[in-house]
Amino acid sequence: MTKVLTIGSATMDVFVECDDANIVSVCSKNKNSDFMSYPYGAKIDITTFSSNVGGGGVNTASNFANLGFETSAIFKIGKDIYSEGILDYFKSKNVNLNNIIQKEETSTGFSIILVSFQGDRTVLAHRGANAEIREDEINYDAIKDADFLYVAPLNGESNKVLEPIVEYAHQHNTRICFNAGTTSIKRGFEHIKTILKSAHIVVMNKEEATMTTGIQVRPDTKTEKFSHELIHRDIKKMLTTLKVMDYQIIVITDGGKGAYAYDGKKFYFCPVFQSPVVSTLGAGDAFASTFCAALERTKLNVGLSLMYASVNSSCVVSEFGATEGLATFETIEAKLKANPEYTYLET
């Protein structure tokens, strides 16, 4: 059985939905921005309230275990009521927690997720212990023993462990999936390029890819002459720029528009698998980790792996909570069989 080790954040998430929330769109010359708003100074009744665990480390470890992989996780928590909730959650999950870091002098990560009537969300995040992982707290033997290392976004001071753990994994032939976060990206392309060189799979959303490469997807560049193109040429340029080594597969997700991939030979596009949207929290983690897992399941079929990822992501957004809707491979394959018209495209 393939051994997967994940490293990332662990949080206690509180979901709040209120019918009085408004979505306000502000348009300027160069961009459009949407804001969630509440009446200032008012006391507002909550329509829906729930709590669950989350964070990139928790979400992806849960998913890999649910998909049948031998899974262990590295994340950092405190010794408080929130850490108790996270540890209780894992009692029912087949995830090895021998490598987690728990310190009494820090606080466990905590998030308040404000959910809109459209299904999207705004997250108020207290990073806590998630931003305080030190290199001397990492169990490097676990990295060496793993077949696959999944690196979720690492924030704050924790980002400093990224280079040494990726380099160590690469030296010991542990395959790496790198899901970039904004802390890494803000350090500049030359910095993140050192990480990209070691990663076998790189997953970013379109906004992160734009920040990393400096390439904007401009509406005016897709003229009628290029209207037959499957993938916008600015997206293609992002994909080729991010692919710095021959053995890499690059994936860029674009929310409700679907996802793109490039393996050095072909470009791929996969539309979203349609489903009801309750909350988008955890969808990106489900997509990225499922894609990595599906590559093994499908014997490196990139297009089919994108479809698996999209289906599992659609299951997550149909439920409150970042891990509530996670599907098994059998469930994913049953959904694909029941929807034969759903497919990917390649060029």
Side-chain angles (χ1 to χ4, degrees):
M1 184 184 295
T2 300
K3 296 181 180 179
V4 177
L5 174 66
T6 70
I7 181 168
S9 59
T11 67
M12 181 59 70
D13 292 334
V14 174
F15 294 82
V16 176
E17 185 172 9
C18 175
D19 287 344
D20 289 332
N22 299 299
I23 306 300
V24 180
S25 296
V26 178
C27 179
S28 65
K29 182 178 180 180
N30 298 317
K31 65 178 181 179
N32 295 328
S33 299
D34 293 328
F35 298 88
M36 189 182 299
S37 71
Y38 297 87
Y40 184 68
K43 181 179 288 187
I44 303 167
D45 288 336
I46 293 173
T47 306
T48 305
F49 173 90
S50 66
S51 60
N52 209 327
V53 300
V58 168
N59 297 343
T60 55
S62 300
N63 191 33
F64 280 117
N66 196 55
L67 292 171
F69 290 84
E70 184 177 336
T71 307
S72 57
I74 297 175
F75 53 79
K76 189 171 183 176
I77 56 178
K79 290 187 177 181
D80 49 32
I81 188 172
Y82 305 123
S83 65
E84 291 174 9
I86 291 171
L87 295 176
D88 283 345
Y89 165 82
F90 275 109
K91 288 178 180 178
S92 62
K93 309 296 177 184
N94 190 23
V95 176
N96 184 336
L97 298 183
N98 290 338
N99 302 307
I100 70 164
I101 307 155
Q102 189 171 21
K103 300 290 183 179
E104 193 165 355
E105 64 272 15
T106 190
S107 59
T108 302
F110 181 83
S111 295
I112 299 173
I113 296 94
L114 304 174
V115 183
S116 83
F117 60 87
Q118 295 176 330
D120 214 336
R121 76 283 185 275
T122 296
V123 181
L124 307 178
H126 167 62
R127 303 295 183 186
N130 295 317
E132 300 172 12
I133 299 175
R134 302 194 312 267
E135 188 179 350
D136 61 3
E137 296 174 324
I138 301 291
N139 182 356
Y140 276 84
D141 286 339
I143 297 175
K144 181 173 64 176
D145 293 341
D147 299 305
F148 199 90
L149 173 66
Y150 182 98
V151 183
L154 295 169
N155 299 290
E157 292 298 303
S158 299
N159 191 255
K160 293 179 181 179
V161 308
L162 182 57
E163 282 189 69
I165 64 172
V166 167
E167 183 179 352
Y168 185 87
H170 187 68
Q171 290 173 350
H172 290 84
N173 299 314
T174 300
R175 288 171 292 156
I176 301 162
C177 178
F178 176 45
N179 185 197
T182 54
T183 300
S184 298
I185 292 169
K186 287 178 179 178
R187 295 177 68 180
F189 185 68
E190 289 307 310
H191 161 73
I192 206 169
K193 192 174 180 180
T194 62
I195 312 299
L196 297 178
K197 286 180 178 178
S198 297
H200 297 76
I201 304 164
V202 178
V203 183
M204 296 184 184
N205 62 39
K206 189 178 73 173
E207 291 73 23
E208 291 164 343
T210 296
M211 289 174 62
T212 304
T213 62
I215 299 168
Q216 296 282 345
V217 180
R218 299 159 296 175
D220 60 319
T221 60
K222 192 166 185 180
T223 61
E224 187 175 339
K225 179 180 178 181
F226 296 101
S227 61
H228 66 280
E229 286 189 357
L230 178 64
I231 300 175
H232 194 293
R233 58 179 176 177
D234 288 338
I235 296 285
K236 286 185 176 180
K237 190 175 180 182
M238 282 184 186
L239 291 165
T240 55
T241 300
L242 291 169
K243 185 174 170 60
V244 296
M245 302 298 289
D246 291 340
Y247 52 75
Q248 290 176 314
I249 299 172
I250 309 297
V251 178
I252 295 176
T253 60
D254 193 9
K257 295 180 180 178
Y260 311 92
Y262 177 56
D263 62 4
K265 297 177 182 178
K266 295 180 179 179
F267 293 94
Y268 302 84
F269 169 71
C270 182
V272 296
F273 189 83
Q274 296 298 324
S275 68
V277 177
V278 175
S279 169
T280 58
L281 194 74
D285 290 331
F287 188 99
S289 53
T290 303
F291 178 78
C292 297
L295 282 174
E296 179 169 307
R297 179 84 167 187
T298 65
K299 297 180 172 56
L300 299 179
N301 185 321
V302 175
L304 185 55
S305 295
L306 289 173
M307 291 171 62
Y308 274 61
S310 184
V311 170
N312 207 2
S313 184
S314 76
C315 293
V316 169
V317 302
S318 299
E319 303 281 348
F320 257 127
T323 61
E324 288 300 298
L326 290 172
T328 63
F329 274 132
E330 291 72 22
T331 299
I332 293 169
E333 288 162 355
K335 285 179 175 287
L336 289 174
K337 186 176 181 180
N339 294 272
E341 74 286 352
Y342 179 71
T343 189
Y344 67 92
L345 303 171
E346 63 182 47
T347 182

